[in-house]
Amino acid sequence: MSFVNYHTKEINCKIVYYGPGLGGKTTNIQYIYQKTSSQNKGQMITLNTENERTLFFDFLPLDLGEIRGFKTRFHLYTVPGQVFYEASRKLILRGVDGLVFVADSQVERMEANIESYQGLERNLAEQGYDISKVPMVMQWNKRDLPNIVPVEDLQFQLNKRKFPAFEAVATNGQGVFETLKMVSKSVLLNIKGGLE
């Protein structure tokens, strides 16, 4: 749920990158952070566990466009990929305006993708969200590796709702900004629709 700050004339939107562990969620956000000009971004905050895996979220506001004289500020979050952080995942999904599901394209990670997507559906439903009404983009990451699932199979297994989807290689930025642009555009259209 976007937050409107009338004092600063800003609409704050929350976009969550969700997916299995080591799928590329943090790599996406780090790439975006590195390529965004310093005047358009806040500080990135990372909380790690002992084994250096992201436990909570990366935080990054981006200014993109205006709605009725209000600037839009996007806050980008990642959820921890490991299943034993389920409570943290649910907490980070609270107030979500848009989602990016980052799937790991490797054949051996397909089961983890399916499990993570089912967890996303379950966690959203528990908080009263209808997944078909939340702006969402699918990202098929790690397309540069040799042992990848064909896009048609990823679509069939993970994208029955026909969300927009992009192939990506987050380590070099391929598909990263295309994914962000699509989810941001969908979030803005959703907010504008709610204002009218």
Side-chain angles (χ1 to χ4, degrees):
M1 187 81 179
S2 55
F3 168 75
V4 179
N5 184 332
Y6 290 95
H7 179 70
T8 61
K9 293 197 66 102
E10 286 182 346
I11 300 172
N12 292 272
C13 305
K14 182 178 187 178
I15 296 174
V16 175
Y17 282 68
Y18 202 102
L22 304 174
K25 302 175 299 296
T26 300
T27 306
N28 265 274
I29 292 205
Q30 287 171 334
Y31 186 85
I32 294 163
Y33 189 83
Q34 290 166 2
K35 298 297 181 185
T36 303
S37 69
S38 58
Q39 73 254 22
N40 288 338
K41 66 184 176 187
Q43 182 181 4
M44 186 184 304
I45 300 167
T46 306
L47 301 175
N48 292 320
T49 63
E50 305 133 16
N51 63 358
E52 297 299 301
R53 289 301 307 139
T54 303
L55 170 60
F56 241 71
F57 58 85
D58 301 309
F59 173 80
L60 168 69
L62 290 178
D63 292 319
L64 296 172
E66 288 193 9
I67 300 175
R68 295 189 179 175
F70 283 76
K71 287 184 179 179
T72 50
R73 184 174 291 272
F74 287 91
H75 300 270
L76 307 184
Y77 293 79
T78 61
V79 297
Q82 297 81 355
V83 176
F84 50 88
Y85 293 128
E86 196 67 22
S88 296
R89 289 179 184 179
K90 289 178 187 176
L91 184 65
I92 293 166
L93 283 172
R94 278 196 195 144
V96 68
D97 293 298
L99 289 161
V100 174
F101 186 85
V102 181
D104 188 325
S105 291
Q106 297 176 92
V107 171
E108 64 271 17
R109 299 295 292 153
M110 197 61 195
E111 191 174 313
N113 288 327
I114 293 168
E115 182 181 324
S116 183
Y117 187 80
Q118 290 170 344
L120 173 61
E121 287 181 313
R122 192 172 50 252
N123 290 337
L124 286 172
E126 282 178 21
Q127 295 189 49
Y129 291 101
D130 178 349
I131 195 169
S132 65
K133 295 196 167 102
V134 178
M136 186 154 143
V137 175
M138 307 298 281
Q139 185 187 80
W140 315 132
N141 193 27
K142 302 188 181 183
R143 299 307 292 169
D144 58 332
L145 299 179
N147 57 334
I148 57 173
V149 176
V151 170
E152 300 76 32
D153 292 351
L154 288 164
Q155 288 282 101
F156 179 76
Q157 292 286 333
L158 297 168
N159 198 10
K160 296 188 185 338
R161 289 188 173 84
K162 308 284 188 239
F163 293 115
F166 295 90
E167 293 184 59
V169 180
T171 53
N172 69 19
Q174 178 186 327
V176 171
F177 277 102
E178 293 84 348
T179 301
L180 176 62
K181 186 176 179 183
M182 179 57 76
V183 74
S184 301
K185 181 179 170 185
S186 299
V187 166
L188 291 176
L189 287 171
N190 205 36
I191 291 170
K192 284 179 182 174
L195 293 174
E196 294 170 349

